[in-house]
Amino acid sequence: MSTRDLFTLRNSHFRIGVGLTAAILIVTAIGGFIVLPFAQPWVQFANVWDAICSAAGVPQRVASVTAPEQSKRLSEVVLTSNTLARPSQEAIGRGATLAQRCAICHGPTGISRADSPNLAGQYAAVIYKQLHDFRSGARTNAVMSPFAVNLTDQEIADLSNYYAYLPRLPAYHPTPQLPKPNIVIYGAPLRGIAPCGACHGSLDNKTGSPWLEGQSEAYMKAQLQAFATGERRNDISQQMRNIARAMTPQEIEAAAAYYASQPPDVVKAVD
Amino acid sequence: MLANRKLILAHFWLAFAVFGVALTLGAWQMFIRSPIGTWLSDPELYYRSLTAHGTVMGYVFPTLVAMGFGYAIAESALEQRLVGVRWAWTGFGLIVAGSIMAVIPIALGRASVLYTFYPPLIGNVFYYLGVVLVVVGSWIWVALMSLNLRIWRKAHPGAPVPLAMFANVAGSYLWAWTAVGAALELLLQIIPVAAGLKNTIDAGLARIFFSWTLHAIVYFWLMPTYIAYYTIVPRAIGGRVYSDSMARISFILFLVVAMPIGMHHTFADPMVGAGFKFIHSTFTALVALPTLLTVFTICASVEIAARLRGGRGMFGWIRALPWDNPMMLALAFSFVMLGFGGAGGLINMSYQLDASIHNTQWITGHFHLIFGGAIVIMYFAIAYDLWPHLTGRELIDVRLIRTQLWLWFIGMIVTTFPWHWVGILGMPRRMAYFDFGDPAIAPQALSVTFSAIGGFILLTSGLMFIVILARGMRAPQVDAGPYRFAIAVHQPKTVPVALNTHALWVALMIALTLTNYGYPILNLALSSGTSVPAVYVGAQ
């Protein structure tokens, strides 16, 4: 027998095989697309076609629903790993000129003498995101916001590339290196806290997360507290707020003190 | 004696060598996240190991076993020279090259995305290209199986295709089609992003493509096991296959209903409509049918052996079975694990019940029990049965073989039963460590410790298996004779064309794929705004 004898209604295997398969498909389709949608008393359908579309997962636009009002601005920065990749020498040069106005707080070499963040050798995507957020108002600071508000997109990109280009120098007031606290090494699995280094550079770097070694202890503590209280809210999907809220005050202090005591050359070279 | 022994041995040895490595990684993973291990200071190492374990155990190991066994079947069941030996070596070479290409980025920590890929996580492009090479290598095998059967058919027009080859080719067609899902995901979605051509990915669509592969691949893994149930075990214990037709119907059913059911993996995903989830759930229930048919037929076949050995009574014949025969032992263990694993599977496929165990350790326990347990123990049996025919030497130490099988069975039960239990209690999967000091999960510490001990029993058994095979290469030479498969009580003289060819069932498989996957795929592919930024692993 050839396949011509196979695919014919005269062949009982063909009739039974195809018939049964089609019957099961039709019955399950009626069950899944018509019977079960109407079996949900809490959902109202205009007609059968409406129920079928709903069960099939047809995207629907509901006109009457408006996005909830946000009392504060949220970050609108889109970061990908290609953001700011391969800067030109000109861009870095322009950034250097612009950075003169930052030096009063962040230091002429990108190392702060006050408790402002050190920027020398920070990931470009980090500076790019924070400047955008300061400009849009997603992040606010009495000193920083006025500086950021007049920057153009080009200027933000140039500044980011310039600071990323600078060599990573030790902190201005280095302190003796502290041992790693548990919260930094392991996080706290039951509270949903990942090890800091999983995003912040020593194990892996997630785009938009800064490396923290040698930053000011007071600054990091203040930021963690601001995340915990919700005062700072420009983290994507509440990543840092969820972590900071779950941290104890002692853990916040220990993590800030530990990172402040680290030399920047321990940052894993992932870039 | 088989003519292409080197080819088959190369497949088996590579399969078991990578299995040994992946098994060691698995045992380490069990240990490190149990209360007896100390927490890793770099959890990324765990995911690196997990990716390697899954990639080897999911893609490389079972594919090589199916291929090696497939070549042996083509040669011995069809009793003709294997056509395309050079192509077969090319396929093997592609798998070697692909495995090396994939494993280097994993070892460097550049591809810790787990073997299920999990977009929008994106690893190094060479990892994915390596997996593609492995799949392409296996497709050569699919083509060769089909070709060799075609040649045999020409020489034997109208004759019944030997059951082993019929099932083997059914398995190869199932693999060819089910691998298309992951291939589409890799080629259309992931590789362009990993290569830097795009930086966003439609994670929902990618997951649907993967579900296309992810359930039927289990039945591809299962095929050698079922072929062994039907065509090796009855012969090895001195019985007959109870029904040749029932066997063919089982394999045909796998071909038709193994494919359009993968969305039961995406019950918790929002991008698939509930109606399609219901259809997939129902078809998943249907896939129990060929397994139930098989259990019935094999039990009947085994009963024949027992009664031929003088067994009497309603259940008294069970005592008359050759329990010291490794094949009998492997079959019994495999059935017990298949029973428990299958029962768990019925829970996974139920939309509502799935909600309570979704993404918990229950799932990990389930697929280890089914694949690592019921399936892999029969891979051992296949290797033991074929080895004398491949090496021309006898496997003398039957007692050691029995111990190895016992240890694998005990190890798998000790590993997976507590795993299921902590899953019900809500323990999530894919975690590098747990804080058992916390009162919320402290009571689970004991179960997880048992599970880790089970992991080491499995490691011991796995290494014993490799030692037995290695010693078998140096045992005294024997003439093992031609390799034969079990014959049926009523050996078929003629078989209806539908049960002797695959075309109708392949057509139904493709048709059901279109009905059950067509709309969800098109819906996402044609919608805009469904992509998200890629998250690159190990890169800034």
Side-chain angles (χ1 to χ4, degrees), chain A:
Chain A
M1 284 219 283
S2 68
T3 47
R4 198 185 302 162
D5 303 314
L6 181 61
F7 290 94
T8 162
L9 286 175
R10 285 195 307 279
N11 182 346
S12 62
H13 288 99
F14 177 81
R15 282 202 310 275
I16 295 171
V18 175
L20 265 181
T21 311
I24 293 170
L25 184 65
I26 290 166
V27 170
T28 52
I30 292 172
F33 291 107
I34 299 170
V35 178
L36 287 179
F38 282 108
Q40 307 170 80
W42 59 91
V43 191
Q44 294 295 318
F45 294 106
N47 50 42
V48 173
W49 183 243
D50 190 24
I52 292 174
C53 289
S54 162
V58 179
Q60 294 176 354
R61 290 190 197 287
V62 183
S64 59
V65 176
T66 49
E69 285 282 318
Q70 294 292 342
S71 56
K72 294 192 179 172
R73 287 194 70 90
L74 296 178
S75 180
E76 287 164 358
V77 180
V78 175
L79 280 171
T80 71
S81 55
N82 289 344
T83 307
L84 305 165
R86 296 191 199 86
S88 66
Q89 291 298 314
E90 289 78 18
I92 293 170
R94 287 195 304 270
T97 311
L98 288 165
Q100 289 184 357
R101 64 177 96 159
C102 316
I104 189 164
C105 294
H106 293 287
T109 56
I111 299 298
S112 173
R113 301 182 183 203
D115 281 330
S116 315
N118 303 327
L119 301 178
Q122 186 54 272
Y123 301 128
V126 172
I127 299 169
Y128 177 87
K129 173 170 162 52
Q130 298 308 320
L131 282 175
H132 269 282
D133 285 347
F134 277 123
R135 189 177 70 176
S136 71
R139 184 179 176 188
T140 53
N141 176 282
V143 182
M144 205 44 225
S145 297
F147 274 95
V149 79
N150 292 321
L151 291 174
T152 64
D153 287 355
Q154 179 69 56
E155 287 171 335
I156 288 179
D158 291 345
L159 276 166
S160 310
N161 286 325
Y162 167 67
Y163 276 117
Y165 165 81
L166 288 183
R168 291 168 183 168
L169 298 173
Y172 195 70
H173 297 292
T175 49
Q177 265 183 273
L178 294 173
K180 242 184 194 182
N182 276 354
I183 188 72
V184 171
I185 310 174
Y186 305 118
L190 272 170
R191 284 178 279 152
I193 304 176
C196 306
C199 296
H200 288 287
S202 56
L203 300 174
D204 195 3
N205 177 248
K206 300 292 178 335
T207 308
S209 315
W211 56 267
L212 304 170
E213 282 77 0
Q215 295 293 359
S216 145
E217 181 178 347
Y219 173 75
M220 283 189 286
K221 195 172 145 185
Q223 294 310 310
L224 280 170
Q225 286 164 342
F227 277 126
T229 57
E231 199 184 310
R232 182 174 167 186
R233 44 173 61 212
N234 70 323
D235 51 331
I236 303 159
S237 311
Q238 300 208 26
Q239 283 168 336
M240 268 319 292
R241 274 175 283 177
N242 281 331
I243 286 171
R245 270 196 290 263
M247 288 171 81
T248 64
Q250 294 78 16
E251 285 169 342
I252 287 182
E253 275 181 21
Y258 165 76
Y259 273 111
S261 75
Q262 297 302 303
D265 52 5
V266 301
V267 180
K268 189 179 168 191
V270 287
D271 44 356

Side-chain angles (χ1 to χ4, degrees), chain B residues 399-412:
Chain B
R399 181 183 289 228
L400 199 61
I401 292 177
R402 280 202 299 266
T403 313
Q404 188 267 323
L405 294 171
W406 268 106
L407 279 182
W408 190 262
F409 175 66
I410 294 170
M412 196 50 81

Side-chain angles (χ1 to χ4, degrees), chain B residues 300-354:
Chain B
S301 310
V302 166
E303 187 183 342
I304 292 170
R307 296 210 184 273
L308 286 173
R309 294 166 60 91
R312 291 187 188 285
M314 180 90 109
F315 295 106
W317 56 268
I318 294 174
R319 255 180 300 145
L321 283 168
W323 288 107
D324 53 346
N325 185 327
M327 288 300 132
M328 188 63 231
L329 215 50
L331 175 75
F333 291 153
S334 181
F335 267 24
V336 171
M337 293 190 278
L338 188 68
F340 282 112
L346 293 178
I347 288 169
N348 304 345
M349 57 131 267
S350 312
Y351 199 176
Q352 287 84 351
L353 291 176
D354 173 75

Side-chain angles (χ1 to χ4, degrees), chain B residues 19 124 148 160 259 268 338 371 405:
Chain B
F19 164 76
N124 185 285
N148 277 281
M259 197 30 245
L338 188 68
F371 176 48
L405 294 171

